């Protein structure tokens, strides 16, 4: 007999909208005085718990815990939560679908029906991370890059197309459609689901295998990034186990001053929240100022939740939300039931009723000024006026290489090089801008900053300004809508005149798909050890991520990206230094203030040119794909995938080959060797890079052994469907700083007991052959950055049993746990340095239970992941 929801008799209600009747589980009908004072985002969790109570592993105790949030949030109480859907991008989506296909094999081997392995919730996979900026600055850049994308990734795309036919509830958005988060914001998000079988309305909620999934928090949707392993469990109908979080309220007051924009705001918020400390917490925005923030502005803020350190950055639904839904093509019927449902639940934003928060900080919009973040981290805030001073301080610091230092020898500070590009000779110095990219979901979903950059380009063209030939420029919109409104406004041609041609609809530079620099330029940079700069309108600028030759990378608003491209250097003083000269006026100096568009003009262009019909037209064909996509053929076997052992893209992983019905519930380790000793802020880019595969790497040697020419290596991100490539790519980042080989920088370590310096994979392979388990030691914020399950899978395949760090990023820690790698934390105030008797260069074997006094996640012990001796 099917389980019955205990709230059916009291909370299951109906409402009228647009002439139709809908059912829903009513929060006010709980008649619980605690509910009204809960943060809006916590009430979304509560609705899910009420709706799924006793018809899933969720119980009435989960409902009570959420209602009692005020007390439970300070007691680390756990709840279960069932998201409504899952979203994937192709870099993380391919390995997820590979895992599902491998599960079907295991299911058959164990005597089950493989067809039972299917997503039980809607899953959308947007192919957006594979496009690379090979061609730029020309009218055919878009078509050339799309063709190269299809050519390089044919095997991957055929596999994904097979998956869309083989698995239920899996929808693929083909390449060339846009960036996953902008497509999610403008098209896929429901705000409120309508389930036709039960005629039931409920809140949209989503987890995604990209850490920037919270972007739709700006639309009033509870969403966050998870690892691929956790996403797969949600696909298969399992709830997420989570600690009920604290919620930090951010009160927004005031209005933007002239010349500031949402990018400046999000960079300032990132710095403020990092300083506050919001890791593993929810953030919710309120106050008079949020009414002046468009949904696009809010989404810009929410997008950078991972950089803030929080799980979500939530904006409640209000009238501006409904206006945005109408603009982007949601039907009148949808908007009507969304409005009626949210108001019936008491979740329509009311500025007069402020929920209780764990703590509150204030952001005054009137204090926001133009700024950048960098040169190596998104939370290193720099006022625009201080950039020259900050860069030179970083350049000339005598401290070891760090987040604000480059550790250049004093003798190299004045290095420069001359390069000739298309017949013109340029002098390249420290601080020369060689990449200027309007990229990423963070900003291209916001018409105001895109229009501002195009108006700046128009003004620059009028005054005869040109971008130097050594600057690699690109415009990678998050959806085709951007191109449509730029074309309608007449400003697309202004961008193209400065070589900001559309290069693709995908993530591009922000993920590291910036493509190659001109050979002569790359050679000059490397030969002279030049610290050159990249400026991008993205969300990530970690060392080694954007391009291996570009050491200094800065996040900036789109108009500033165009400005720095024109200047050709990062150390320009915008107040005193001209950006160029006007050939039409006796080469008179032109300053940034001369070409910066007014806020009024930007607003007018947005109002006149961003039309609802554009969204409806673009998204009416978003799943159709290009001719090349539609020509892809797939296997006729839809129950089981026909693995090709010769493929270097798609390979059956080893995780399920030895799986049995009964799984051991405890693990114990002894005699471990240290593989790496790492510092603070080791990101998933360090652990499992997505960038191009270096010719000197273990992965390259493997591909060459399989007769793959260097020209077809592609990137690590594109090869995440092949475990043999990815395990060799673990810790392959060329900027990895391993203290075992200090002061040398690079993806190597010391193999014991011979004390031979080897590539990290080569050392791990020797340890695997000897049956020796491994341990990694690290500092603060280990595993920050993108939500890459391969950052856990890779270390598991290397034989790493334990990672001990001062602190972990939430998603990566979860990935490690779910893959059987134990994440442990040093006692507060202690770490590797505190243990003088532990000499990493000459250590002997280590038994983990006897190593330091350590803190283990309580949930790991309670669920039997590890023996009690670890606690």
């Amino acid at each position: 007999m099917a389980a019955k929801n205990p709230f059916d008799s009291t909370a299951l209600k109906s409402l009228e909208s647009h002439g139709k009747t809908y059912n829903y589980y009513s929060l006010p009908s709980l008649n619980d005085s605690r509910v009204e004072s809960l943060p809006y985002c916590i009430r979304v969790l509560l609705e899910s718990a009420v709706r799924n109570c006793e018809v899933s592993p969720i119980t009435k105790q989960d409902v009570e815990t959420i209602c009692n949030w005020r007390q439970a949030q300070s007691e680390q109480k756990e709840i279960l939560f069932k998201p409504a859907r899952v979203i994937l991008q192709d870099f993380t989506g391919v390995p997820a679908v590979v895992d599902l296909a491998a599960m079907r094999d295991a299911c058959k081997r164990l005597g089950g029906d493989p067809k039972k392995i299917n997503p039980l919730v809607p899953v959308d996979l947007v192919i957006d991370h594979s496009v690379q900026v090979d061609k730029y600055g020309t009218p055919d850049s878009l078509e050339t890059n799309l063709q190269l994308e299809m050519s390089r990734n044919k095997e991957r795309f055929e596999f994904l197309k097979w998956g869309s036919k083989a698995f239920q509830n899996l929808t693929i958005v083909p390449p060339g459609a846009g960036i996953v988060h902008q497509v999610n914001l403008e098209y896929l998000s429901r705000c409120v689901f309508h389930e036709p079988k039960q005629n039931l309305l409920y809140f949209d909620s989503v987890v995604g295998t990209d850490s920037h999934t919270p972007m739709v928090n700006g639309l009033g949707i509870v969403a966050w990034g998870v690892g691929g392993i956790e996403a797969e469990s949600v696909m298969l109908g399992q709830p997420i186990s989570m600690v009920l979080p604290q919620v930090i309220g951010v009160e927004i007051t005031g209005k933007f001053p002239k010349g500031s924009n949402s990018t400046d705001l999000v960079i300032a918020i990132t710095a403020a929240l990092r300083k506050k400390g919001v890791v593993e917490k929810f953030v919710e925005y309120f106050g008079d100022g949020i009414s002046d923030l468009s949904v696009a502005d809010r989404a810009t803020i929410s997008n950078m939740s991972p950089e803030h350190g929080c799980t979500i950055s939530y904006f409640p639904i209000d009238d501006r939300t409904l206006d945005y839904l109408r603009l982007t093509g949601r039907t009148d019927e949808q908007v009507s039931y969304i409005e009626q449902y949210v108001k019936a639940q008491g979740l329509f934003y009311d500025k007069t009723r402020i929920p209780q928060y764990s703590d509150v900080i204030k952001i005054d919009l009137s204090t926001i000024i133009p700024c950048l973040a960098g040169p190596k981290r998104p939370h290193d805030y720099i006022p625009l006026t201080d950039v020259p001073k900050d860069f030179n301080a970083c350049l000339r610091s005598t401290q070891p290489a760090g987040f604000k230092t480059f550790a250049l020898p004093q003798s190299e500070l004045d290095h420069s090089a001359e390069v000739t590009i298309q017949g013109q000779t340029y002098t390249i110095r420290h601080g020369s801008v060689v990449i200027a990219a309007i990229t990423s979901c963070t900003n291209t979903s916001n018409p105001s900053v895109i229009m501002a950059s195009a108006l700046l380009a128009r003004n620059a063209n009028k005054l005869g300004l040109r971008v130097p030939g050594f600057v690699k420029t690109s415009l990678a919109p998050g959806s085709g809508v951007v191109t449509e409104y730029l074309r309608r406004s007449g400003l697309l041609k202004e961008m193209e005149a400065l070589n900001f041609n559309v290069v693709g609809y995908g993530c591009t530079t922000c993920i590291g798909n910036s493509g190659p620099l001109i050979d002569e330029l790359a050679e000059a940079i490397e030969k002279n050890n030049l610290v050159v700069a990249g400026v991008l309108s993205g969300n990530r600028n970690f060392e080694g991520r954007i391009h291996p030759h570009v050491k200094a990378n800065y996040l900036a608003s789109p108009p500033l990206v165009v400005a720095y491209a024109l200047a050709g250097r990062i150390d320009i003083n915008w107040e005193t230094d001209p950006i160029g000269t006007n050939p039409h006026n006796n080469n008179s100096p032109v300053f940034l203030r001369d070409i910066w568009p007014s806020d009024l003009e930007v607003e007018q262009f947005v109002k006149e040119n961003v039309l609802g019909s554009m969204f409806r037209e673009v998204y009416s064909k978003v799943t159709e794909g290009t001719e090349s996509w539609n020509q892809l053929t797939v296997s006729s076997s839809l129950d089981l995938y026909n693995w090709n052992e010769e493929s270097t893209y798609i390979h059956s992983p080893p995780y399920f080959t030895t799986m049995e019905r009964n799984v051991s519930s405890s693990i114990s380790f002894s005699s471990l060797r240290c593989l790496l000793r790492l510092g603070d802020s080791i990101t998933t880019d360090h652990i499992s890079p997505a960038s191009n595969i270096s010719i000197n790497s273990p992965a390259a040697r493997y591909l060459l052994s399989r007769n793959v020419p260097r020209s077809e290596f592609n990137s690590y991100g594109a090869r995440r469907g092949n475990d043999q490539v990815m395990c060799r790519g673990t810790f392959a980042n060329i900027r990895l700083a391993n203290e075992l080989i200090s002061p040398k920088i690079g993806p190597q370590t010391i193999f014991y007991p011979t004390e031979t310096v080897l590539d990290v994979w080569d050392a791990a392979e020797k340890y695997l052959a000897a049956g020796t388990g491994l341990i990694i030691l690290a500092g603060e914020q280990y595993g920050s950055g993108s939500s890459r399950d391969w950052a856990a899978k890779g270390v598991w395949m290397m034989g790493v049993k334990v990672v001990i760090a001062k602190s972990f990023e939430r998603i990566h820690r979860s990935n490690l746990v779910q893959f059987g790698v134990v994440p442990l934390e040093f006692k507060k105030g202690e770490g590797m340095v505190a243990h003088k008797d532990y000499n990493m260069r000459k250590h002997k074997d280590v038994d983990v239970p006897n190593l330091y006094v350590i803190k283990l996640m309580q949930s790991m012990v309670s669920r039997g992941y590890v023996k009690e001796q670890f606690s």
Side-chain angles (χ1 to χ4, degrees):
M1 182 177 178
K4 183 175 176 62
N5 190 318
F7 294 100
D8 281 356
S9 59
T10 55
L12 187 58
K13 304 295 181 181
S14 62
L15 62 80
E16 299 288 330
S17 174
H18 220 69
K20 295 183 179 180
T21 302
Y22 301 92
N23 300 321
Y24 73 105
Y25 284 89
S26 167
L27 296 183
S29 295
L30 296 177
N31 292 319
D32 192 321
S33 60
R34 297 171 295 179
V35 172
E36 189 174 329
S37 65
L38 294 176
Y40 289 86
C41 55
I42 296 298
R43 279 181 270 174
V44 175
L45 300 183
L46 177 61
E47 185 277 335
S48 177
V50 169
R51 175 168 37 88
N52 291 292
C53 190
E54 305 299 345
V55 295
S56 73
I58 295 171
T59 67
K60 290 187 73 173
Q61 183 57 54
D62 291 302
V63 175
E64 169 58 25
T65 299
I66 300 172
C67 288
N68 197 37
W69 171 83
R70 187 65 187 169
Q71 180 177 342
Q73 52 99 19
S74 61
E75 297 177 348
Q76 294 285 293
K77 290 290 184 71
E78 288 194 26
I79 62 165
L80 295 176
F81 171 59
K82 285 196 76 171
R85 60 190 175 96
V86 174
I87 193 162
L88 315 169
Q89 39 94 335
D90 58 301
F91 268 17
T92 51
V94 167
V97 179
V98 165
D99 288 351
L100 289 175
M103 286 181 205
R104 282 192 169 183
D105 292 342
C107 185
K108 182 178 181 181
R109 178 172 58 81
L110 295 172
D113 180 2
K115 293 193 295 294
K116 288 186 176 180
I117 304 295
N118 274 300
L120 298 179
V121 300
V123 178
D124 298 297
L125 192 158
V126 181
I127 301 176
D128 70 334
H129 275 52
S130 299
V131 62
Q132 180 171 295
V133 188
D134 290 284
K135 193 75 175 289
Y136 68 98
T138 63
D140 64 340
S141 295
L142 173 62
E143 185 59 31
T144 299
N145 291 330
L146 184 57
Q147 289 176 359
L148 287 169
E149 179 186 13
M150 293 298 298
S151 173
R152 288 177 179 135
N153 298 281
K154 184 172 182 287
E155 283 186 60
R156 298 172 64 243
F157 293 170
E158 286 176 340
F159 173 72
L160 288 176
K161 197 169 183 180
W162 171 86
S164 68
K165 297 179 181 297
F167 295 105
Q168 300 170 14
N169 292 321
L170 175 61
T171 300
I172 302 289
V173 176
I179 293 169
V180 57
H181 308 304
Q182 189 164 342
V183 174
N184 194 16
L185 184 76
E186 295 176 350
Y187 175 67
L188 296 172
S189 290
R190 283 80 157 174
C191 278
V192 172
F193 259 90
H194 175 227
E195 200 284 300
K197 288 185 179 180
Q198 301 178 69
N199 193 29
L200 188 69
L201 298 179
Y202 55 94
F203 285 111
D204 189 4
S205 58
V206 59
V207 291
T209 57
D210 189 296
S211 52
H212 296 103
T213 299
M215 187 170 187
V216 293
N217 298 161
L219 200 56
I221 297 169
V222 168
W224 63 83
V226 296
I229 305 154
E230 196 166 4
E232 289 167 27
S233 68
V234 175
M235 288 185 216
L236 297 173
Q238 296 301 303
I240 287 175
S241 176
M242 59 183 288
V243 173
L244 194 62
Q246 294 184 15
V247 181
I248 306 299
V250 177
E251 183 178 6
I252 302 292
T253 61
K255 294 180 181 294
F256 277 121
K258 291 182 179 179
S260 297
N261 56 47
S262 59
T263 313
D264 301 318
L265 173 60
V266 73
I267 290 174
I269 287 175
T270 302
L273 291 181
R274 276 289 175 179
K275 183 178 180 180
K276 173 70 177 177
V278 293
V279 173
E280 298 186 4
K281 299 175 183 178
F282 283 10
V283 168
E284 185 169 284
Y285 289 82
F286 71 101
D288 292 339
I290 67 171
S291 62
D292 288 323
L293 297 177
S294 67
V295 167
D297 292 335
R298 300 172 188 183
T300 302
I301 295 167
S302 297
N303 175 276
M304 289 190 69
S305 295
E307 287 69 42
H308 303 162
C310 58
T311 304
I312 70 171
S313 300
Y314 188 80
F315 286 85
I317 294 172
D318 62 3
D319 285 324
R320 298 206 72 162
T321 314
L322 300 179
D323 290 342
Y324 182 84
L325 292 172
R326 294 186 187 98
L327 171 68
T328 51
R330 275 69 168 195
T331 65
D332 290 342
E333 181 179 325
Q334 285 177 297
V335 177
S336 176
Y337 69 62
I338 289 169
E339 180 178 8
Q340 296 307 315
Y341 173 79
V342 175
K343 288 180 175 178
Q345 293 287 29
L347 266 75
F348 200 80
Y349 182 63
D350 182 351
K351 67 179 181 180
T352 66
R353 309 184 76 167
I354 300 174
Q356 292 182 333
Y357 293 111
S358 308
D359 199 357
V360 171
I361 67 171
K362 295 184 178 182
I363 299 289
D364 182 353
L365 295 180
S366 68
T367 65
I368 301 303
I369 59 175
C371 59
L372 303 186
K376 299 182 183 182
R377 295 189 299 186
H379 55 276
D380 287 333
Y381 169 90
I382 318 167
L384 186 63
T385 54
D386 292 350
V387 172
K389 179 176 65 176
D390 187 88
F391 175 76
N392 280 295
C394 296
L395 190 68
R396 297 181 181 279
S397 173
T398 57
Q399 298 298 313
F403 303 119
K404 282 288 189 177
T405 58
F406 297 106
L408 274 186
Q410 295 296 303
S411 61
E412 297 182 3
L413 290 176
D414 296 323
H415 273 196
S416 64
E418 289 193 347
V419 296
T420 300
I421 299 171
Q422 294 182 340
Q424 187 167 349
T425 300
Y426 301 93
T427 301
I428 310 300
R429 300 182 175 89
H430 298 303
S432 292
V433 171
V434 299
I435 289 178
I438 297 177
T439 182
S440 175
C441 44
T442 316
N443 286 286
T444 64
S445 61
N446 194 331
S448 64
V449 290
I450 293 295
M451 206 68 86
S453 66
L455 287 167
L456 187 145
R458 180 204 63 186
N459 297 342
N461 287 323
K462 285 182 179 179
L463 298 181
L465 299 182
R466 289 292 176 261
V467 174
F470 57 82
V471 183
K472 184 169 189 176
T473 50
S474 60
L475 170 60
S479 80
V481 176
V482 178
T483 307
E484 291 303 312
Y485 66 67
L486 284 177
R487 184 178 287 119
R488 173 184 167 84
S489 67
L491 295 176
L492 183 61
K493 63 183 180 183
E494 303 288 354
M495 296 291 283
E496 293 170 344
L498 294 182
N499 296 332
F500 279 93
N501 298 72
V502 173
V503 295
Y505 297 97
C507 196
T508 64
T509 301
C510 194
I511 190 64
N513 288 353
S514 52
L517 297 178
I518 295 171
D519 289 342
E520 294 84 353
L521 178 60
E523 183 180 341
I525 294 169
E526 190 167 358
K527 182 178 179 181
N528 294 278
N529 196 23
L530 295 178
V531 179
V532 295
V535 184
L536 64 150
S537 66
N539 44 40
R540 293 267 166 84
N541 58 339
F542 299 128
E543 188 175 16
R545 179 185 178 100
I546 305 305
H547 193 283
H549 287 109
V550 184
K551 295 180 181 179
N553 292 283
Y554 295 87
L555 305 184
S557 66
L560 283 177
V561 171
V562 177
Y564 275 106
L566 289 163
R569 60 190 182 100
I570 198 67
D571 57 352
I572 185 173
N573 185 321
W574 292 114
E575 293 297 318
T576 59
D577 297 343
I579 195 171
T581 58
N582 182 357
H584 311 308
N585 187 23
N586 298 318
N587 289 320
S588 58
V590 178
F591 293 88
L592 180 60
R593 56 182 172 270
D594 298 327
I595 61 173
W596 195 268
S598 71
D599 296 343
L600 184 62
E601 187 176 26
V602 171
E603 183 180 349
Q604 179 184 347
F605 265 73
V606 170
K607 185 176 181 180
E608 292 177 355
N609 295 289
V610 182
L611 308 178
S613 58
M614 295 176 178
F615 292 91
R616 289 188 289 273
E617 170 64 20
V618 167
Y619 286 110
S620 67
K621 51 191 177 185
V622 71
T623 59
E624 292 179 5
T626 63
E627 181 180 354
S628 298
W629 170 265
N630 291 319
Q631 289 174 351
L632 294 176
T633 58
V634 299
S635 169
S636 59
S637 173
L638 297 182
D639 292 347
L640 298 173
Y641 184 69
N642 291 325
W643 305 99
N644 177 7
E645 286 302 316
E646 297 303 313
S647 173
T648 55
Y649 277 102
I650 304 298
H651 185 261
S652 181
Y655 329 127
F656 307 106
T657 55
T658 59
M659 176 184 286
E660 299 298 335
R661 288 182 177 271
N662 298 316
V663 181
S664 174
S665 62
S666 64
I667 49 178
S668 180
F669 308 122
S670 61
S671 300
L672 304 182
R673 292 277 189 180
C674 182
L675 180 66
L676 297 164
R677 173 172 165 163
L678 307 169
D680 294 338
S681 295
I682 294 298
T683 70
T684 51
D685 282 294
H686 290 108
I687 305 168
S688 184
S691 55
N692 288 339
I693 298 171
S694 168
I695 188 61
N696 298 316
S697 65
R701 293 195 289 273
Y702 171 78
L703 291 172
L704 290 171
S705 74
R706 303 297 297 269
N707 298 316
V708 178
R710 183 178 183 180
S711 60
E712 296 179 13
F713 279 3
N714 213 327
S715 65
Y716 285 111
R719 291 191 179 273
R720 285 183 182 159
N722 188 300
D723 56 284
Q724 294 301 304
V725 175
M726 294 308 297
C727 65
R728 289 165 172 81
T730 306
F731 291 108
N733 190 307
I734 62 173
R735 302 294 177 196
L736 183 72
N738 174 18
E739 293 178 18
L740 295 186
I741 61 169
S742 180
K744 184 178 179 181
I745 300 294
Q748 293 187 313
T749 193
I750 294 179
F751 173 72
Y752 293 97
T754 63
E755 301 200 16
T756 308
V757 177
L758 299 172
D759 287 338
V760 177
W761 166 254
D762 293 340
E765 194 171 33
K766 285 182 174 291
Y767 286 127
L768 285 168
T772 302
L774 299 173
I775 186 171
I776 292 172
L777 302 180
E780 299 280 2
Q781 300 174 24
Y782 180 81
S784 57
S786 300
S787 57
R788 294 180 184 165
D789 57 346
W790 262 112
K793 290 175 177 177
V795 297
W796 176 81
M797 288 189 69
M798 281 182 160
V800 174
K801 308 299 183 184
V802 181
V803 179
I804 307 180
K806 291 183 180 179
S807 65
F808 289 86
E809 192 276 339
R810 172 187 61 85
I811 300 175
H812 184 60
R813 183 176 62 188
S814 173
N815 282 344
L816 290 172
V817 170
Q818 296 198 49
F819 231 77
V821 179
V822 182
L824 306 176
E825 291 184 2
F826 293 107
K827 269 195 350 182
K828 188 175 182 180
E830 289 195 4
M832 294 171 283
V833 177
H835 300 273
K836 304 297 184 183
D837 58 325
Y838 191 59
N839 187 323
M840 295 305 303
R841 285 192 176 276
K842 298 181 179 178
H843 78 279
K844 297 187 177 181
D845 294 345
V846 179
D847 291 339
V848 172
N850 298 322
L851 180 64
Y852 321 144
V853 179
I854 49 186
K855 182 182 75 175
L856 179 61
M857 288 190 303
Q858 295 176 352
S859 61
M860 290 179 61
V861 176
S862 67
R863 294 176 192 178
Y865 281 117
V866 294
K867 289 184 176 179
E868 190 174 338
Q869 62 186 10
F870 278 84
S871 62

